[in-house]
DNA sequence: TCATATGTATGCATTATGCATATATTGAAT
DNA sequence: ATTCAATATATGCATAATGCATACATATGA
């Protein structure tokens, strides 16, 4: 088989999907970059510090501060006192939670469109293949959070997430 | 089956792959945004006008002019006279061709890493699924070029590219 | 031959980011 | 208790990559 052709197809699909994801999440939030991912992630992990959020989003610290500034100004995120006098705990406001829901709903559409032509059997095959690939791609906790930063974790049971499983295997061998 | 879980896995893989593609192509070119895609695309379609390139990359016209400015300044792209007194024809220089090769080589790595854990049979399954999805996602020529804007078309025979095939089917029904 | 369309370029602004540095708080060693 | 290093956050400044409005140059057709 022509392996390189498969690489091209995989890259093309990924690019096309992420184009769609970016358009959807930016349309739903009015912000580009990592802002939509920040809202999604804070919904799953409320109380994250600025530093921790930045590591998940792979932003510099100042970049994260500015991102949180933008989200706070929209009334979507609150800076509360954290465990420390230094540390902040970030929480979604009610409006932020609502906005997050909208982002996730819009995010589904390009994904749905991609798997629309697949039969039920195809989807099972695909799911298995995705699990295998994601398991291989996840090497530490940081990366696990990064990979899942736009996931609707509500519908993805943690004990069956290949990304989290892989991470847990690394940590508790 | 839990369809939404499949959507999450697909989105997570796409995001992870494109993170890798972006890092690889930016590392190989020193430019982010659509600059790497511009070099790749101009290698496949030499003589493109600024307007046509911008439509493939989905950039505004001024954005494309500035992008070409940057690539020309690096000595990677030449503006030559086109079919018109108005129209330009863009070509890669020798250095640009070399840089494109490097970008494509680096681009393979994150893709290769993703399929590494798959068996030969898995890869055939995956290829078939990707073909089906890409066929559904391609609706016009513009989109076809956009989806393939980072593809190593040299290794992807045109008559077997689901993206191009789909487009040709649309145009010559 | 002149009006309109087409392709390209420029001025200016914005978004999202990074680097260097400042500030505030904590914890640990003296 | 005091001081110093580590940690968490914030700010000043700069940059990359882009868009909008507009100007300019060339072509085309009535």
């Amino acid at each position: 088989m022509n392996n390189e052709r498969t690489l091209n197809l995989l890259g093309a699909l990924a690019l096309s999907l992420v184009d769609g994801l970016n358009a959807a999440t930016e349309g739903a939030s009015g912000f580009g970059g990592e802002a939509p991912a920040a809202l999604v992630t804070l919904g799953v992990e409320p109380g994250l510090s600025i530093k921790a959020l930045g590591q998940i989003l792979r932003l510099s610290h100042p970049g994260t501060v500015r991102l949180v500034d933008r989200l706070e100004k929209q009334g979507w995120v609150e800076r509360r006192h954290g465990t420390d006098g230094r540390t902040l705990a970030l929480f979604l406001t009610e409006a932020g939670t609502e906005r997050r829901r909208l982002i996730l709903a819009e995010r589904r559409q390009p994904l749905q469109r991609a798997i629309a032509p697949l039969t039920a059997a195809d989807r099972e095959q695909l799911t298995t293949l995705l699990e295998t690939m994601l398991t291989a791609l996840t090497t530490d906790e940081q990366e696990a959070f990064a990979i899942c930063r736009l996931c609707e974790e509500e519908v993805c049971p943690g004990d069956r997430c290949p990304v989290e499983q892989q991470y847990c295997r690394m940590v508790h061998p």
Side-chain angles (χ1 to χ4, degrees), chain A:
Chain A
M1 230 215 354
N2 180 356
N3 222 333
E4 272 134 24
R5 179 165 180 265
T6 305
L7 294 186
N8 267 351
L9 296 176
L10 183 58
L13 181 72
L15 209 52
S16 165
L17 282 176
V18 171
D19 285 348
L21 293 179
N22 286 341
T25 58
E26 176 157 1
S29 69
F31 293 95
E34 296 301 329
L39 290 176
V40 171
T41 298
L42 284 175
V44 182
E45 297 281 333
L48 237 39
S49 71
I50 289 206
K51 183 183 183 187
L53 180 63
Q55 287 173 333
I56 291 172
L57 303 178
R58 301 199 243 233
L59 293 180
S60 69
H61 197 95
T64 314
V65 171
R66 297 283 150 74
L67 168 56
V68 171
D69 289 346
R70 295 194 289 275
L71 298 176
E72 194 178 38
K73 197 170 165 190
Q74 290 291 317
W76 293 341
V77 163
E78 273 179 20
R79 282 170 158 104
R80 296 195 202 148
H81 293 299
T83 49
D84 245 17
R86 313 165 271 190
T87 310
L88 290 179
L90 302 171
F91 290 91
L92 295 183
T93 62
E94 203 160 321
T97 305
E98 187 49 46
R99 183 61 52 164
R100 175 174 181 275
R101 255 193 292 277
L102 182 60
I103 290 168
L104 287 174
E106 293 296 314
R107 183 198 78 120
R108 278 194 206 173
Q109 304 208 7
L111 298 171
Q112 190 71 59
R113 197 171 149 236
I115 70 165
L118 301 184
T119 66
D122 286 342
R123 292 177 196 203
E124 288 199 35
Q125 270 190 6
L126 177 64
T127 303
T128 304
L129 294 169
L130 291 170
E131 286 168 353
T132 305
M133 289 189 275
L134 284 169
T135 301
L137 290 178
T138 315
T139 55
D140 60 23
E141 184 183 23
Q142 214 71 275
E143 192 149 16
F145 275 113
I147 289 176
C148 295
R149 69 192 188 274
L150 271 180
C151 273
E152 194 169 1
E153 302 210 10
E154 295 87 331
V155 303
C156 208
D159 61 326
R160 283 174 54 226
C161 173
V163 175
E164 277 188 53
Q165 274 185 9
Q166 172 62 10
Y167 158 61
C168 293
R169 214 176 297 144
M170 301 292 296
V171 173
H172 322 292

